[in-house]
Amino acid sequence: MKMQAVGLVEVVGSADAIIAADQMLKTSEVTYESWNTKCGGHVTIFLSGEVAAVKAAVDSIKENPPCEVVAAAVISNPSEETDRIIKGWRK
């Protein structure tokens, strides 16, 4: 099933990624999809759900960051290709 919205939050470090994911999951009805790591310890967390719920979750990180946040975004109605990429990273 295609995602209605995707939230992305990039932090530095796996521990901070878990803390950020926990905060977002407690904020609204969103689903953890995956995370992706890059060199330098950057971790991007992917969440999905209804647009309003994903926006609330990502906004909670932007407004009250539990750690250093490198980037954060919400994609409403992601393309099928974006959906496929994120689902390919599921862990």
Side-chain angles (χ1 to χ4, degrees), residues 8 12 19 24 29 37 41 43 47 50-51 53 62 64 68 78:
L8 305 90
V12 178
I19 292 166
M24 290 187 290
E29 287 292 319
T37 58
V43 180
L47 301 171
E50 294 182 6
V51 176
K62 291 163 71 174
N64 187 22
E68 178 186 354

Side-chain angles (χ1 to χ4, degrees), residues 13 15-16 45-46 48-49 67 70 72 90:
D16 283 345
I45 307 155
F46 298 91
S48 67
C67 57
V70 177
R90 280 193 177 150

Side-chain angles (χ1 to χ4, degrees), residues 7-9 21 31-37 43-48 85-91:
L8 305 90
V9 174
T31 301
Y32 167 81
E33 291 293 339
S34 182
W35 74 4
N36 188 3
T37 58
V43 180
T44 305
I45 307 155
F46 298 91
L47 301 171
S48 67
I85 291 167
I86 294 169
K87 288 179 179 174
W89 284 332
R90 280 193 177 150
K91 294 181 182 182

